[in-house]
């Protein structure tokens, strides 16, 4: 049985690994990618001779998918957790503690944003439960329209946007409530009488479990382990240009003929490949836009006077070019043990990516200058790496859940075709692992011979 996995990011590699486990050694699995390497937007490089992630660096630790996968692959010892420090928000030219009791920055009470927003906005948040509130169950809305109306524009700019920018490289205006904050949408659907009540109901219960996890040697350790256990034929530097139905399966241009296909490609590529096969799914996928970003990793002298925090998120409207700083050597104990300090500086938001036109040298200079501004420290990089991610993150806009439902419904009748990727049910690595696992199960159920 020949199966093609188009796309060699984490979604494609997990799908191939799961297919190997479900179908056994006899399955001929081919994984192809347009890049000269696998991993997609996960990439581990080196700085000062040691590994450093140039894409995502962490995952939500309270979800089970990644720790379970590490255990399956025999690399559970790679799992590390943050040192427990909290980030700051840079707003109005100074640093503020990240508000507590918030859901993606949306406060559960006025006390959460005191000191971050002005007194009038604090009073607006405090009085919100007394204002008339209407919500139609099942409705969707962009996060900005809801939160600005109920809690004021300052709450969005200074508390919500910094967090959404980190997750989606987007903003409250470009992100839909139902896809990005499903627990909040559910609380509203259940009849919450105010946004304050809904946020309080949607907050996760208190837990001593670490919020995030990471890999000691970077995501490259996971990618290598997946590739080794999958034993697939790998094809790099090759773009799949066409997909069409043939007797017994699929013709995948230019790879050849296969009995089943998994499309682990970005939404626009998926839309193009499905255009003639499943036009409804293709149109829905084509409506998903992508955001671009760039990352600068600065290697600094060990004694650089960085604050005792995990990072600094930048509010909307600040005169900085960077949108966030991860103080990696503060955030992660295993990085703190190194001979130099590491800081990740992120650039680029959906609809405002002019800074990405800067040269590598200009981005490094901007990263160092902005870091000096927010920390007050003298920043003298020993070295730096720039990584650009054009179209790296899907925007979960208003109506996103409906688009995904259309895609999945339109493809449900294809037992030998599945889609997976970060544009479906979450941009984080755990969500990608879950979606890829479902795609592999769908293919295995559709093509595996029935028991005698």
């Amino acid at each position: 049985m020949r199966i093609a996995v188009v796309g060699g990011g984490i979604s494609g590699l997990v799908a191939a690994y799961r297919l190997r486990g479900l179908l056994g050694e006899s399955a001929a699995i081919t994984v192809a990618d347009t890049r000269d390497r696998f991993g997609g937007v996960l990439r581990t490089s080196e700085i000062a001779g040691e590994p450093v992630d140039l894409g995502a660096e962490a995952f939500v630790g309270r979800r089970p998918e990644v720790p379970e996968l590490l255990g399956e692959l025999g690399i559970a010892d790679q799992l590390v957790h943050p040192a427990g420090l909290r980030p700051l928000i840079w707003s109005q030219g100074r640093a503020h503690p990240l508000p507590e009791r918030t859901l993606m920055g949306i406060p559960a009470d006025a006390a959460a944003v005191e000191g971050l927003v002005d007194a009038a906005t604090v009073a607006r948040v405090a009085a919100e439960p007394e204002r008339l509130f209407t919500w139609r169950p099942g409705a969707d809305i962009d996060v900005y329209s809801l939160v600005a109306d109920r809690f004021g524009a300052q709450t969005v700019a200074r508390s919500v946007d910094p967090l959404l920018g980190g997750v989606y490289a987007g903003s409250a205006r470009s992100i839909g409530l139902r896809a990005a904050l499903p627990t909040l949408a559910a609380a509203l659907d259940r009849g919450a009488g105010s946004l304050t009540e809904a946020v309080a109901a949607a907050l996760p219960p208190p837990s001593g479990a670490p919020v995030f996890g990471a890999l000691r040697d970077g995501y490259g350790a996971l990618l290598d382990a997946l590739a080794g256990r999958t034993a697939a034929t790998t094809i790099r530097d090759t773009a799949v240009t066409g997909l069409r139905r043939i007797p017994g399966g699929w013709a995948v241009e230019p790879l050849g003929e296969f009995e089943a296909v998994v499309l682990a490609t970005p939404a626009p590529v998926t839309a193009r490949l499905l255009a003639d096969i499943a036009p409804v799914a293709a149109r829905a996928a084509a409506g998903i836009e992508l955001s671009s970003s760039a990352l600068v990793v600065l290697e600094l002298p060990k004694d650089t006077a960085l604050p005792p925090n995990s990072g600094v998120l930048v509010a909307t409207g600040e005169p900085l070019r960077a949108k966030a700083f991860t103080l990696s050597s503060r955030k992660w104990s295993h990085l703190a043990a190194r001979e130099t300090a590491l800081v990740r500086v992120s650039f680029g938001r959906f609809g405002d990516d002019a800074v990405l036109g800067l040269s590598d040298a200009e981005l490094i200079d901007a990263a160092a200058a902005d870091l000096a501004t927010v920390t007050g420290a003298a920043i003298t990089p020993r070295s730096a790496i720039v990584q650009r991610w054009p179209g790296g993150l899907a925007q979960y806009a208003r109506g996103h859940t409906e688009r995904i439902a259309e895609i999945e419904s339109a493809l449900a009748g294809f037992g030998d075709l599945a889609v997976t990727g970060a544009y479906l049910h979450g941009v984080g690595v755990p969500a990608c692992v879950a979606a890829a696992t479902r795609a592999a199960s769908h293919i295995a159920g559709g093509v595996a011979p029935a028991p005698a």
Side-chain angles (χ1 to χ4, degrees):
M1 181 176 300
R2 302 188 67 214
I3 303 172
V5 178
V6 183
I10 184 65
S11 297
L13 292 177
V14 170
Y17 166 71
R18 294 297 189 206
L19 285 166
R20 177 63 68 204
L22 291 166
L23 300 178
E25 296 181 3
S26 63
I29 302 171
T30 297
V31 182
D33 198 272
T34 58
R35 292 186 172 97
D36 61 358
R37 61 174 185 84
F38 289 133
V41 295
L42 300 183
R43 183 179 185 184
T44 303
S45 185
E46 286 190 353
I47 198 164
E50 297 192 81
V52 59
D53 278 318
L54 302 182
E57 62 151 5
F59 56 86
V60 176
R62 292 173 180 171
R63 288 191 59 153
E65 291 89 351
V66 175
E68 289 177 357
L69 183 59
L70 297 179
E72 287 179 40
L73 295 168
I75 55 171
D77 61 338
Q78 283 283 338
L79 180 61
V80 293
H81 297 293
L85 303 176
R86 288 183 61 79
L88 302 167
I89 289 183
W90 183 260
S91 176
Q92 300 298 290
R94 64 187 183 91
H96 305 257
L98 182 77
E100 298 186 18
R101 280 186 54 78
T102 69
L103 186 70
M104 195 62 77
I106 307 174
D109 53 51
V113 290
E114 284 185 354
L116 180 61
V117 299
D118 63 23
T121 302
V122 172
R124 183 186 182 103
V125 176
E128 191 269 339
E130 308 305 318
R131 293 171 54 207
L132 178 65
F133 180 71
T134 58
W135 177 261
R136 178 173 58 83
D140 201 2
I141 190 173
D142 64 88
V143 175
Y144 179 89
S145 294
L146 176 64
V147 180
D149 174 62
R150 304 301 297 181
F151 290 159
Q154 280 190 15
T155 301
V156 178
R158 301 181 188 181
S159 185
V160 181
D161 270 351
L163 280 90
L164 287 175
V167 175
Y168 297 99
S171 71
R173 295 178 187 271
S174 68
I175 300 300
L177 173 74
R178 194 158 292 276
L181 295 161
T183 58
L184 180 58
L188 293 169
D189 289 347
R190 289 194 300 267
S194 66
L195 181 57
T196 299
E197 180 184 333
V199 173
L203 287 175
S207 171
V211 177
F212 298 107
L215 276 71
R216 184 189 63 243
D217 294 328
Y219 272 117
L222 173 58
L223 300 174
D224 290 345
L226 284 170
R229 291 284 291 274
T230 300
T233 298
T234 57
I235 301 174
R236 297 173 175 82
D237 289 315
T238 301
V240 169
T241 57
L243 178 67
R244 58 186 174 85
R245 173 66 87 184
I246 60 173
W250 301 93
V252 183
E253 300 295 340
L255 305 183
E257 297 181 358
F258 299 86
E259 292 164 79
V261 176
V262 176
L263 297 180
T265 45
V269 178
T270 303
R272 175 172 55 80
L273 293 174
L274 292 178
D276 295 330
I277 299 160
V280 172
R283 283 193 296 272
I288 299 171
E289 297 186 274
L290 306 181
S291 181
S292 299
S293 61
L295 177 75
V296 177
V297 179
L298 299 174
E299 181 202 12
L300 305 173
K302 182 80 169 180
D303 59 357
T304 301
L306 300 174
N309 299 89
S310 61
V312 184
L313 306 174
V314 180
T316 298
E318 293 297 307
L320 297 178
R321 288 159 291 187
K323 68 175 182 182
F325 308 83
T326 302
L327 308 179
S328 301
S329 297
R330 297 281 193 258
K331 183 175 181 178
W332 303 101
S333 298
H334 69 289
L335 298 181
R338 295 187 180 182
E339 297 298 320
T340 55
L342 295 179
V343 176
R344 291 160 47 100
V345 186
S346 301
F347 297 86
R349 286 188 175 96
F350 180 75
D352 182 22
D353 55 5
V355 69
L356 303 182
L358 298 177
S359 68
D360 285 3
E362 289 170 331
L363 274 176
I364 292 169
D365 288 345
D370 285 356
L371 181 61
T373 296
V374 302
T375 63
I379 302 300
T380 308
R382 295 181 51 169
S383 67
I385 302 176
V386 175
Q387 176 67 58
R388 299 173 187 271
W389 295 115
L393 283 173
Q395 292 299 286
Y396 278 46
R398 181 171 61 88
H400 184 82
T401 55
E402 294 175 357
R403 291 188 185 92
I404 301 309
E406 286 184 16
I407 293 170
E408 294 179 335
S409 175
L411 298 179
F414 293 91
D416 54 0
L417 175 65
V419 296
T420 186
Y423 66 90
L424 290 171
H425 298 287
V427 298
V429 173
C432 290
V433 172
T437 298
R438 288 192 295 271
S441 297
H442 175 81
I443 293 294
V447 303

